[in-house]
């Protein structure tokens, strides 16, 4: 019975994630890129990692390319 609960939780989370993705996805690519860049910068500040704006942009580009390959 426990495995059925885990499966239900997994499916529920998957469905919720898909719906959320569809609601958010229609944004312009440039807007999404700015949000990702800001999130990466916030993460770096929180963990006291120093990178320039260009290095952060390059990191975001690398992440985007890796996501497109999958």
């Amino acid at each position: 019975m426990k495995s059925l609960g885990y499966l239900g939780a997994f499916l529920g989370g998957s469905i919720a994630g898909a719906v959320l993705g569809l609601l958010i996805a229609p944004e312009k690519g440039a807007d999404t890129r700015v949000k990702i860049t800001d999130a990466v910068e916030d993460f770096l500040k929180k963990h006291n990692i120093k990178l320039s704006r260009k290095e952060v942009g390059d990191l975001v580009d690398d992440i985007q390319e890796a996501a497109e390959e999958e």
Side-chain angles (χ1 to χ4, degrees), residues 16-34:
V19 169
L20 185 60
L22 289 173
L23 292 174
I24 294 174
E27 289 186 19
K28 292 183 179 179
D31 294 339
T32 303
R33 180 174 160 73
V34 168

